[in-house]
Amino acid sequence: MHQAFVALGSNLQNPVAQVEKAFSALAGLPKTRLVKKSSLYRTAPVDCPSEAGSEVPDFINAVAEVQTALSAQDLLLALHAIENEAGRERPYVNAPRVLDCDLLLYDDMVIKSDKLTLPHPRMHIRGFVLLPLFEIAPQLSMPVHGSIALLISSELSKDITKLSITNPS
Ligand code: PH2
Ligand code: MG
Ligand code: MG
């Protein structure tokens, strides 16, 4: 079995429900066990262009740990299928989305291909990834980026609120 971490994000169509549904979808993947779910976090958009005059809605973000017998490539395909099932559209880069499922880490794999980069290329500079990841894996040491605890700063933690409602499991 392999250990993987998946980041979830939504800022359209009831984001809390979308992320909770995504946890269930992860739990339902073949050859895969959902090991841990972080709390849900309300986060301000980072690097999201706003369409003329319209505000980019806040995101709900979370991170899941899974154990899986799927290869990294097959897990990635499964994550895309979960996004598509939720109705994901891609009108432009970083557009508002019903669901984004990003593969952050897969064991200690380091890879850069057209389809897959591990560790996820921006995870180490994204508070909306690092805070929920730290919540479920505070001791984590990552390939390339090292200790998660050393990456978190007050700057990266700005405009991120942990939701106090616990998601039903
Ligand atoms: N995802 C992005 C770009 N910006 N900002 C927040 N707060 N949350 C996200 O999940 C997010 C983002 C690209 O996938
Ligand atoms: Mg993303
Ligand atoms: Mg993505």
Side-chain angles (χ1 to χ4, degrees), residues 89-136:
E89 291 176 4
R90 293 179 164 76
Y92 52 90
V93 171
N94 287 357
R97 69 287 302 271
V98 290
L99 185 64
D100 184 32
C101 296
D102 290 338
L103 183 54
L104 299 174
L105 298 164
Y106 183 95
D107 293 334
D108 287 332
M109 187 180 283
V110 177
I111 182 175
K112 231 177 230 167
S113 72
D114 286 353
K115 301 221 166 83
L116 178 62
T117 298
L118 289 170
H120 186 281
R122 289 166 300 282
M123 64 172 292
H124 61 296
I125 53 167
R126 299 298 210 204
F128 60 80
V129 170
L130 293 175
L131 266 64
L133 180 58
F134 181 73
E135 179 192 340
I136 61 171

Side-chain angles (χ1 to χ4, degrees), residues 10-111:
S10 168
N11 67 344
L12 282 183
Q13 296 178 30
N14 194 348
V16 167
Q18 296 293 346
V19 170
E20 284 174 351
K21 229 174 74 184
F23 278 136
S24 303
L26 287 174
L29 288 181
K31 303 189 210 172
T32 301
R33 189 165 74 84
L34 178 60
V35 178
K36 274 188 188 154
K37 313 189 279 190
S38 77
S39 303
L40 306 192
Y41 291 74
R42 182 175 307 284
T43 71
V46 178
D47 293 341
C48 295
S50 70
E51 292 259 89
S54 70
E55 282 248 322
V56 177
D58 279 351
F59 282 75
I60 296 297
N61 285 109
V63 168
E65 176 187 352
V66 297
Q67 275 193 355
T68 186
L70 297 175
S71 67
Q73 285 74 13
D74 283 348
L75 180 57
L76 183 69
L77 290 178
L79 298 181
H80 289 160
I82 292 172
E83 291 178 342
N84 292 339
E85 182 67 23
R88 174 79 183 264
E89 291 176 4
R90 293 179 164 76
Y92 52 90
V93 171
N94 287 357
R97 69 287 302 271
V98 290
L99 185 64
D100 184 32
C101 296
D102 290 338
L103 183 54
L104 299 174
L105 298 164
Y106 183 95
D107 293 334
D108 287 332
M109 187 180 283
V110 177
I111 182 175

Side-chain angles (χ1 to χ4, degrees), residues 145-160:
H145 304 308
S147 157
I148 180 150
L150 296 178
L151 288 174
I152 290 174
S153 63
S154 51
E155 181 62 26
L156 285 180
S157 308
K158 266 188 348 195
D159 304 320
I160 297 180

